[in-house]
Each structure stands twice: as C-alpha cells, then as structure tokens.
C-alpha cells in the first residue's frame, strides 16, 4: 500500500495542484484522527496545566517554522515538483536547505512508519485479534504515508531517485518496526511524546507549505475538494479501524 501511494503520487502529470491538495488533506487527517489522539493516550500527563503531548505538538510546529525562517526558504516552490533539474540562476544555491527540509520531512514519515510497526508488534503481543485489527488499520493508511513521502520529497526539489529511495524505506519501515518489538518494547510515554512532536511537524508542512503551494498556481474548487477528500478518507479509515 505504501508503494502504491507513491506510484500514484508520481504519475499525476499536470494535476500537481490536486495532488498537493490531497496530500495536505491526508496529513491533516493523520494528525487529527490518528497521531494526536494516540499521543494524548500515551503521554497525556500535564505539565503546568497542558498535556505533555500537546506541548510536544507545538514544539514540533515551532521547530520547523524556526528552521524555515532561519534559512529564509519560506517561499513559493513552483517547478520544484517537476522531474527535471531546477535552474534558478544565481539563487540556485538556496535549493540546498529546501531539499534538506524535504528529506527531513520524508525521514520523519519513515520514522512514523517504524512506529506503526511497533504498534502492530505490541498489539500482537496483546492478542491475535487486537494485532490483526491494528495491522489492518496500518495497512489502510500506509497508502497515505507512501503518497505523502514521495510528494514531500519531490516538493522541496529532491530528485526522483531520492524520493523513490525514501519511498522504499517507508514501505519497509513497518515490517522493521514490528520485528524490533520481538526484542524490546518502546516505553509508551516516550512514544506519545514522539507522536506529539511529529504531529506538529506534519501540521506545519500541510498548512504553511503544501496548501499555499497547491492553491497558488491553481486556486480552484477542485483543489479544495481534494483537501476535504483527504481528510474524509482518513476519518473513514480510522472509523473502520475502531
């Protein structure tokens, strides 16, 4: 399912704005319906009146914002999704930091997939029925993971080879995570803090970068509908998994 999501993302041609709109919706759905609820379950203890998971959520959002501000790359990325080399004259050197953020975001998605594998392994330790339910939920939303991994990597100017490499890593990650649980189990509190931080990271990408980029060249209702469809799809997946 991860590889299928990546394959769809790379064969959209001139409908890039629809892909970005859908990717943003899928990210919002993952954050709201999957990551944050799990983070609050695992690390809901309060620090000065605020759940620790939500503090990590804000921290993840701010960290990426500060990184983008510090390297002055919060700008339009028109043309960076195309599979050709990018030539922007004297400003071409600015693509380095942008590519780095794309790779970091994709690597974070791979890390999330490893955690999905942890969830599968831990669930099977609790029982076959529980494990099968969690595994089905993970497989269902791995399409979104693959779609987002390829899209985010290419959006920030990385070449197709890097995007496919990270897509492959994202496909293998849940299997690796499930296998690791045979040796040890990650502490629930630490898992919750990680998921909270990653939620903020994804929310920033979706709202500050991907959605504006989706609407800048083609401000259309179809792009908005794709975003809503992405959110609705993740809601359906989570609902069916319960």
């Amino acid at each position: 399912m991860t590889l299928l999501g990546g394959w769809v993302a790379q064969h959209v041609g001139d409908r890039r704005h629809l892909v970005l709109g859908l990717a943003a919706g899928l990210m919002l759905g993952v954050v709201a319906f999957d990551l944050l609820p799990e983070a609050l379950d695992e690390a809901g203890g309060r620090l000065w009146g605020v759940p620790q998971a939500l503090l990590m959520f804000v921290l993840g959002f701010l960290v990426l914002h500060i990184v983008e501000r510090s390297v002055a790359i919060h700008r339009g990325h028109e043309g960076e999704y195309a599979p050709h080399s990018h030539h922007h004259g004297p400003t071409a050197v600015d693509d380095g930091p942008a590519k780095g953020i794309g790779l970091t975001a994709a690597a974070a998605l791979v890390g999330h997939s490893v955690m999905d594998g942890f969830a599968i392994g831990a669930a099977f330790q609790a029982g076959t029925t529980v494990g099968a339910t969690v595994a089905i939920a993970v497989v269902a939303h791995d399409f979104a993971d693959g779609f987002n991994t390829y899209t985010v990597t290419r959006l920030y100017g990385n070449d197709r080879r890097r995007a496919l490499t990270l897509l492959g890593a994202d496909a293998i990650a849940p299997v690796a995570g499930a296998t690791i649980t045979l040796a040890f189990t990650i502490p629930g509190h630490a898992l919750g803090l990680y998921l909270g931080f990653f939620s903020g990271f994804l929310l920033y990408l979706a709202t500050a970068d991907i959605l504006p980029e989706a609407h800048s060249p083609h401000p259309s209702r179809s792009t908005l509908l794709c975003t809503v469809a992405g959110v609705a799809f993740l809601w359906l997946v989570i609902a069916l998994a319960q």
Side-chain angles (χ1 to χ4, degrees):
M1 288 298 288
T2 301
L3 294 175
L4 177 61
W7 182 87
V8 170
Q10 66 178 302
H11 287 86
V12 293
D14 60 355
R15 299 185 179 273
R16 170 175 172 268
H17 59 292
L18 299 180
V19 172
L20 295 177
L22 179 61
L26 291 173
M27 285 185 178
L28 290 174
V30 167
V31 169
F33 308 140
D34 186 13
L35 298 181
L36 270 183
E38 186 173 351
L40 288 169
D41 285 343
E42 297 291 347
R46 294 176 177 269
L47 181 62
W48 294 345
V50 179
Q52 296 175 21
L54 292 184
L55 290 174
M56 293 299 292
F57 168 75
V58 174
L59 179 63
F61 189 98
L62 291 177
V63 164
L64 186 53
H65 175 64
I66 291 170
V67 169
E68 283 208 336
R69 292 288 89 190
S70 65
V71 297
I73 65 162
H74 192 93
R75 52 179 172 79
H77 302 282
E78 292 186 18
E80 291 186 2
Y81 188 78
H84 304 293
S85 298
H86 311 290
H87 301 284
H88 303 291
T91 62
V93 294
D94 292 336
D95 283 349
K99 291 180 180 180
I101 285 187
L103 293 175
T104 301
L109 284 165
V110 173
H112 167 54
S113 292
V114 173
M115 295 300 177
D116 282 345
F118 284 164
I120 292 174
F124 270 105
Q125 291 178 11
T128 303
T129 302
V130 177
T133 302
V134 172
I136 290 172
V138 169
V139 169
H141 87 253
D142 271 353
F143 176 88
D145 286 348
F147 190 99
N148 289 335
T149 298
Y150 187 88
T151 301
V152 168
T153 306
R154 296 288 280 137
L155 174 64
Y156 286 88
N158 291 284
D159 59 29
R160 184 171 178 271
R161 180 181 59 81
R162 286 183 176 179
L164 290 176
T165 298
L166 285 162
L167 178 63
D170 195 33
I172 296 171
V175 180
T179 303
I180 289 173
T181 60
L182 297 175
F184 66 92
T185 303
I186 185 172
H189 186 263
L191 175 61
L193 295 178
Y194 164 79
L195 292 177
F197 182 88
F198 181 54
S199 296
F201 196 94
L202 278 190
L203 184 66
Y204 184 89
L205 287 178
T207 58
D209 279 351
I210 295 181
L211 274 179
E213 177 67 10
H215 287 280
S216 60
H218 298 282
S220 64
R221 290 182 180 179
S222 57
T223 305
L224 178 60
L225 287 175
C226 283
T227 302
V228 174
V231 174
F233 173 75
L234 260 298
W235 187 10
L236 177 63
V237 168
I238 299 301
L240 292 175
Q242 298 303 316

